[in-house]
Amino acid sequence: ELKVEQNPLFLSMQEGKNYTIYCNYSTTSDRLYWYRQDPGKSLESLFVLLSNGAVKQEGRLMASLDTKARLSTLHITAAVHDLSATYFCAVDGQGGSEKLVFGKGTKLTVNP
Amino acid sequence: AAGVIQSPRHLIKEKRETATLKCYPIPRHDTVYWYQQGPGQDPQFLISFYEKMQSDKGSIPDRFSAQQFSDYHSELNMSSLELGDSALYFCASTLRTVGETQYFGPGTRLLVL
C-alpha cells in the first residue's frame, strides 16, 4: 500500500525566514504533486514533478524530487504572510492508477 | 480559463436521506475523480472515470455510487446518509496525458444532521 508522509505537520515561521517541507513516499511512482489549500477552499495545483532531479520554482516556492530517495521537498524562501495555508504533497497510486494518495498536509502559518 | 464546476456548493441533509453531487469537468478533459475530505484530513480518493467508464475505485462506501455521462459530467449519488458522511467532496479532472495535473473543483460541503 502506497504511503505518503509529510513533515512537519505544523509549521509556524516568521516572515522573511526560509524553511523546507519534506514529503516521503513508500513505493516508486511516476509523478509527485504539490497542492495548496486555504481553509474551506479547493486544492490549488502548485507543481507537478515528473522525473528524478526535477526542480520547479514559482515565486518564493521551490519544489524538488529525488526518486531514488523517494523524497520531495518544498522550500519556502523569505516567507510572507500570504503563504499561510496547508500544503499537501500527493503521489500517483500504484499499478498505473492515477488516483492521488495525499500526505497529511503541512499547515503553515507565517507570522508578521 | 474554464475550471471544474461543482454543484451544489453547500448541502444540508438529514440522516438516512439521499444526496446527489454534480461535477462538470474542464472542457476536453477525459478523466474525472471524486475525493472526500473530512475536517482536518487529507483528501481520500473515492472513484474515477475515464471516457465515461469507471477506471478505479477507492474507499467508497456501498451506499455511494457514481457515473459519468455522455457529456462527461459526473454525479456522485449518496444514499442512507450518515453523520460521518459530513465532509467536503471534491471533483477533479484531467486530460490523461503524461504530466497533466489534476485540477480540483471548489468542492461541495455536505453536512448531515
Side-chain angles (χ1 to χ4, degrees), chain A residues 31 33 35 37 39-45 47-48 50 88 92 94 96-105, chain B residues 31 33 35 37 41-45 56-58 88 90 94 96-106 109:
Chain A
R31 284 169 280 191
Y33 305 78
Y35 285 90
Q37 187 178 37
K41 303 294 185 182
S42 184
L43 290 106
E44 174 191 355
S45 177
F47 301 108
V48 182
L50 301 177
F88 289 97
D92 280 338
Q94 292 175 279
S97 168
E98 295 185 357
K99 68 182 182 188
L100 294 181
V101 178
F102 286 83
K104 296 298 182 190
Chain B
T31 307
Y33 307 82
Y35 293 87
Q37 186 179 31
Q41 303 293 314
D42 54 294
Q44 295 291 315
F45 171 74
D56 200 358
K57 198 171 181 180
L88 261 174
F90 289 108
T94 191
R96 218 174 200 184
T97 55
V98 174
E100 187 70 19
T101 192
Q102 291 185 22
Y103 294 93
F104 281 73
R109 183 175 294 278

Side-chain angles (χ1 to χ4, degrees), chain B:
Chain B
V4 178
I5 297 170
Q6 290 187 246
S7 68
R9 295 291 306 278
H10 303 272
L11 193 56
I12 300 176
K13 291 286 185 178
E14 300 277 341
K15 280 196 314 183
R16 292 179 289 277
E17 286 191 319
T18 61
T20 297
L21 280 53
K22 296 185 179 183
C23 169
Y24 296 85
I26 292 172
R28 293 187 300 282
H29 279 193
D30 54 16
T31 307
V32 166
Y33 307 82
W34 286 97
Y35 293 87
Q36 178 192 58
Q37 186 179 31
Q41 303 293 314
D42 54 294
Q44 295 291 315
F45 171 74
L46 293 177
I47 195 167
S48 63
F49 294 88
Y50 170 64
E51 286 292 346
K52 294 160 277 185
M53 299 289 289
Q54 180 180 312
S55 56
D56 200 358
K57 198 171 181 180
S59 49
I60 182 169
D62 291 341
R63 301 177 288 108
F64 293 7
S65 65
Q67 57 183 322
Q68 188 178 29
F69 294 85
S70 58
D71 64 351
Y72 290 90
H73 94 272
S74 179
E75 294 184 3
L76 178 65
N77 299 293
M78 309 159 71
S79 63
S80 303
L81 287 169
E82 302 174 355
L83 297 178
D85 295 329
S86 296
L88 261 174
Y89 290 84
F90 289 108
C91 171
S93 75
T94 191
L95 183 60
R96 218 174 200 184
T97 55
V98 174
E100 187 70 19
T101 192
Q102 291 185 22
Y103 294 93
F104 281 73
T108 294
R109 183 175 294 278
L110 172 66
L111 178 60
V112 182
L113 301 175

Side-chain angles (χ1 to χ4, degrees), chain A residues 26-86:
Chain A
S26 59
T27 62
T28 55
S29 177
D30 293 335
R31 284 169 280 191
L32 188 134
Y33 305 78
W34 284 96
Y35 285 90
R36 169 185 170 142
Q37 187 178 37
D38 292 297
K41 303 294 185 182
S42 184
L43 290 106
E44 174 191 355
S45 177
L46 296 174
F47 301 108
V48 182
L49 302 169
L50 301 177
S51 59
N52 189 42
V55 177
K56 290 193 175 181
Q57 183 163 5
E58 181 73 34
R60 301 174 188 275
L61 301 178
M62 184 174 70
S64 66
L65 178 62
D66 181 344
T67 58
K68 294 178 182 177
R70 295 178 189 160
L71 170 69
S72 180
T73 61
L74 181 66
H75 186 72
I76 303 155
T77 301
V80 293
H81 180 69
D82 286 351
L83 289 179
S84 297
T86 298

Side-chain angles (χ1 to χ4, degrees), chain A residues 100-112:
Chain A
L100 294 181
V101 178
F102 286 83
K104 296 298 182 190
T106 297
K107 185 172 182 179
L108 171 65
T109 303
V110 181
N111 302 303

